């Protein structure tokens, strides 16, 4: 009776669990999906923007896997000092780590640690009600904000800063964040990239959403776009990049009408310093860049300052060394061979990886399917040898003996019930519980 643990309940973890129960056709198979948080779905719950209901609806398909009779969700279980990988492997025949890439890349410029300078992930965690997030007054006293980066996360935070309370009220955003954003005095939001529009990483769908925001003016500088060699004729670009350039070209002709808020899309500007005044962020100093002919950019020696009281960096992620697992610091991943963990260059029997901690922070949600499929195939090949070992006890008993208090699926249903009730009391749909105490209290109550 093989018993397998999947660490992480985001898309990569759930897809791995799905592959195991669909392909490992042996009697009595059990898959425990463990998560540090008491809630499932990973970044689908805590990373997808609240106003992206279509993407968030993916929770429905993930839910079907977690409700399978052969799958058991156990939240509140953290691999670490109380539960090192060696102990976890004693409790299960195999363990698949799907723990993501939790660290943000830094800009590496002076002033980056000033109050008012944050990673975009910090901001996203706050308005997404992640229980580890802090309410540090992100938009308090802010009239202008700068998002450094031109990927989808940068577009998300730009859009959230520009939206009004009425547009955000139908989402599951916690009430405190909704009240704060609704009352903010942000007037200008700058989204800035060091390269040109043909190299931007946002999707065209996300980009176009900016034009649909009520009472928001888009400002694009054609002279900046024209520095990009592909601006005049984008026909040779990949389809997605070509569409981005075409959309931006169309926006250059938009009339500059007075609106409640303005979004400025800026290109070929590289941050060199975050400026401060009275101990807080006061702006960003940028160096203008130009294409170097090899896909990169070089500085021109010309500088520009943009005044702002909030700076959000969105320039990528890096994996964090998982406790007790080998780690390639240069790649930010766990060394592996087709998903099998390598320790000192040798396959470690029973240990596997999938998702960002396996391949790095690349791709979209759907990219996790083929990634998990490869790992599951490796585990299936190894399964006969792994299942020959007799486990001493039900893994849940071992987790409890380690001092953990797992939140099962009924506990998660308790959280869902409490969030629905909170929303009804506010005249809204379900509203997320933003703190550990509230989540655990709701899980203990159980509907």
């Amino acid at each position: 009776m093989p018993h397998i643990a999947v660490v992480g309940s985001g898309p990569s973890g759930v897809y791995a669990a799905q592959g195991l129960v669909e392909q490992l056709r042996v009697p009595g198979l059990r898959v425990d999906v463990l998560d540090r948080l008491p809630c499932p779905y990973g970044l689908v719950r805590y990373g997808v923007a609240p106003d992206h209901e279509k993407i968030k609806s993916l929770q429905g398909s993930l839910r079907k896997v977690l409700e399978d009779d052969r799958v058991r969700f156990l939240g509140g279980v953290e691999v670490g000092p109380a539960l090192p990988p060696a102990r976890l492997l004693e409790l299960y025949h195999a363990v698949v780590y799907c723990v993501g890439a939790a660290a943000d890349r830094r800009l590496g410029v002076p002033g980056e640690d000033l109050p008012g300078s944050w990673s975009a992930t910090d901001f996203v965690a706050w308005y997404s009600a992640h229980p580890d997030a802090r309410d540090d007054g992100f938009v308090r006293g802010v009239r202008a904000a700068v998002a450094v980066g031109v990927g989808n996360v940068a577009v998300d935070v730009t859009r959230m800063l520009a939206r009004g309370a009425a547009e955000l009220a139908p989402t599951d955003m916690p009430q405190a964040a909704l009240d704060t954003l609704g009352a903010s005095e942000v007037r200008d939001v700058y989204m800035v990239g060091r390269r040109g529009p043909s190299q931007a990483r946002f999707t065209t769908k996300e980009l176009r959403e900016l034009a649909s925001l009520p009472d928001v003016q888009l400002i694009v500088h054609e002279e900046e776009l024209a520095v990009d060699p592909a601006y005049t004729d984008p026909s040779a670009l990949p389809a997605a990049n070509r569409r981005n350039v075409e959309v931006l070209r169309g926006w250059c002709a938009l009339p500059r009408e007075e609106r409640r808020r303005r979004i400025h899309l800026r290109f070929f500007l590289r941050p060199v310093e975050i400026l401060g005044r009275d101990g807080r962020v006061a702006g960003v100093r940028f160096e203008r860049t130009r294409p170097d002919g090899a896909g990169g950019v070089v500085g021109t020696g010309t500088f520009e300052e943009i005044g702002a009281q909030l700076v959000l960096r969105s320039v990528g992620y890096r994996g964090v060394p998982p406790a007790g697992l080998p780690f390639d610091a240069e790649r930010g991943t766990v060394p592996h061979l087709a998903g099998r963990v390598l320790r000192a260059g040798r396959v470690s029997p029973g240990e596997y990886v999938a998702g960002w901690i396996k391949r790095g922070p690349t791709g979209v949600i759907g990219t996790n399917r083929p990634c998990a499929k490869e790992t599951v195939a490796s585990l299936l090949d190894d399964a006969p040898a792994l299942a020959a070992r007799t486990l001493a006890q039900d893994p849940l008993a071992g987790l409890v003996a380690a001092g953990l208090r797992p939140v099962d699926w009924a506990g998660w249903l308790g959280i869902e019930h409490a969030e629905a009730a909170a929303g009804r009391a506010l005249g809204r749909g379900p509203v997320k519980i933003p703190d550990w105490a509230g989540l655990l209290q709701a899980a203990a109550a159980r509907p």
Side-chain angles (χ1 to χ4, degrees), residues 47-60:
V48 173
D51 59 347
H52 276 178
E53 287 300 321
K54 185 174 181 180
I55 302 176
K56 291 176 73 69
S57 67
L58 176 63
Q59 292 182 14

Side-chain angles (χ1 to χ4, degrees), residues 1-55:
M1 186 175 73
H3 209 145
I4 299 168
V6 174
V7 181
S9 66
S12 62
V14 176
Y15 292 152
Q18 183 179 30
L20 288 167
V21 297
E22 288 180 352
Q23 297 179 55
L24 188 53
R25 301 183 182 280
V26 294
L29 169 68
R30 295 298 303 274
V31 178
D32 285 355
V33 178
L34 315 179
D35 203 291
R36 185 178 72 87
L37 299 176
C39 308
Y41 311 135
L43 283 179
V44 177
R45 176 175 167 92
Y46 289 117
V48 173
D51 59 347
H52 276 178
E53 287 300 321
K54 185 174 181 180
I55 302 176

Side-chain angles (χ1 to χ4, degrees), residues 67-94:
E67 288 182 331
D68 189 293
D69 290 341
R70 296 161 292 180
V71 177
R72 176 169 60 178
F73 172 73
L74 297 174
V77 176
E78 182 174 9
V79 179
L83 185 68
R87 175 56 180 153
L88 193 58
L89 198 55
E90 291 175 356
L91 298 175
Y92 293 92
H93 290 106

